[in-house]
Amino acid sequence: MTDNKAVTGSVPRHVAIIMDGNNRWARKRFLPGVAGHKAGVDAVRAVIEVCAQDGVEVLTLFAFSSENWARPQAEVGALMELFLLALHREVRKLRDNDIRLSIIGERSRFSPKLQQAMADAEAYTAECRGLRLLVAANYGGQWDITQAARSLARDAAAGILDADAIEADDLAARLSTAGLPLPDLCIRTGGERRISNFVLWQMAYAELYFSDLFWPDFKHDAMREALADFARRQRRFGKTSEQVAAES
């Protein structure tokens, strides 16, 4: 597990975003829900641009949770089409800007066509060395921890691992975000104040930032304000303010 240090006045290495409010944005405009999701693509582009410009190393976007399958079938179908279209349209821009795409989550429930598009997009940007963009699709934090625990349990049963010697870092190494810095900042738009089963293990020490803006309205200025708010915070990780000040 990557260590986090007490910092203030700095750029977060890893930003995780719950992109909420697309449907309510559309409803206010008497539009179908999918119109909000389409409008949200512009906010995705804006946030990526700001993160890449400001030196954020990893950006994780919660695109589709494992619970979202419970939404109306027509909406889910439209979201799958939009996801496929976005992969085809945006991947060249990502590579041109040296952004590497990875998709985390359980993929088997997606159509073979969409699964192939995911793999193709990841391969197309695999050599990029700039911003690391993670898109969480059919993802849940509890699922992530469960699949990591199962992986450890299999190795322990096979005698590869000593179950009593398993440490937190061993489980972290089996998560979808293995090898990446932990999220420093979690942003949620749409006015809600919860983390909704998103990278639960990884966000143990993340700073939380809630915006009342619906996701399609969360553009460049809003993202910069979230980063500025993070820079004003003192992260102590169990230490006192005096200790952190002395280390600065």
Side-chain angles (χ1 to χ4, degrees):
M1 185 184 301
T2 303
D3 289 335
N4 283 327
K5 298 179 179 179
V7 293
T8 186
S10 62
V11 174
R13 295 182 67 194
H14 185 166
V15 176
I17 304 181
I18 302 169
M19 305 179 293
D20 194 16
N22 290 324
N23 279 330
R24 284 172 287 157
W25 181 93
R27 196 178 304 125
K28 283 185 65 176
R29 290 159 177 78
F30 303 100
L31 297 171
V34 69
H37 295 288
K38 290 179 178 178
V41 174
D42 288 337
V44 170
R45 294 192 189 105
V47 164
I48 291 173
E49 288 175 9
V50 172
C51 287
Q53 291 168 1
D54 286 19
V56 172
E57 297 176 31
V58 183
L59 172 64
T60 300
L61 302 176
F62 204 6
F64 191 84
S65 77
S66 50
E67 290 79 22
N68 286 154
W69 295 105
R71 292 192 173 193
Q73 186 175 357
E75 181 179 349
V76 171
L79 285 172
M80 295 302 105
E81 289 297 322
L82 181 60
F83 192 10
L84 184 63
L85 183 63
L87 285 172
H88 288 153
R89 285 185 174 178
E90 304 297 327
V91 67
R92 183 176 296 276
K93 299 174 188 175
L94 294 177
R95 193 168 80 166
D96 288 346
N97 288 280
D98 202 28
I99 297 171
R100 180 180 174 184
L101 173 67
S102 297
I103 298 166
I104 61 174
E106 210 291 297
R107 301 190 191 187
S108 64
R109 194 166 178 180
F110 295 117
S111 70
K113 185 177 182 180
L114 184 50
Q115 290 183 51
Q116 186 61 55
M118 292 176 183
D120 290 345
E122 289 176 323
Y124 191 72
T125 62
E127 301 304 317
C128 295
R129 292 295 178 263
L131 176 70
R132 185 76 177 271
L133 175 63
L134 273 60
V135 174
N138 194 25
Y139 177 89
Q142 293 176 337
W143 164 84
D144 203 0
I145 296 168
T146 300
Q147 64 84 27
R150 285 174 177 165
S151 176
L152 290 171
R154 285 192 293 268
D155 283 355
I160 300 171
L161 288 175
D162 177 359
D164 291 332
I166 293 173
E167 302 287 349
D169 283 351
D170 297 312
L171 191 143
R174 308 293 177 102
L175 295 171
S176 299
T177 55
L180 298 174
L182 298 173
D184 300 296
L185 172 64
C186 176
I187 300 169
R188 182 174 186 141
T189 62
E192 303 291 355
R193 303 294 194 269
R194 55 181 179 268
I195 57 176
S196 296
N197 198 21
F198 185 39
V199 287
L200 297 177
W201 176 283
Q202 299 91 324
M203 283 208 298
Y205 286 98
E207 298 292 319
L208 304 180
Y209 180 90
F210 299 106
S211 171
D212 290 331
L213 293 174
F214 295 140
W215 176 247
D217 296 325
F218 195 85
K219 301 290 181 59
H220 298 83
D221 289 345
M223 185 63 201
R224 292 191 181 101
E225 175 51 37
L227 294 179
D229 180 88
F230 174 85
R232 292 189 291 267
R233 301 189 189 188
Q234 184 187 66
R235 307 183 72 203
R236 296 187 293 275
F237 299 103
K239 298 180 180 179
T240 67
S241 297
E242 292 75 17
Q243 285 177 300
V244 173
E247 294 171 354
S248 301

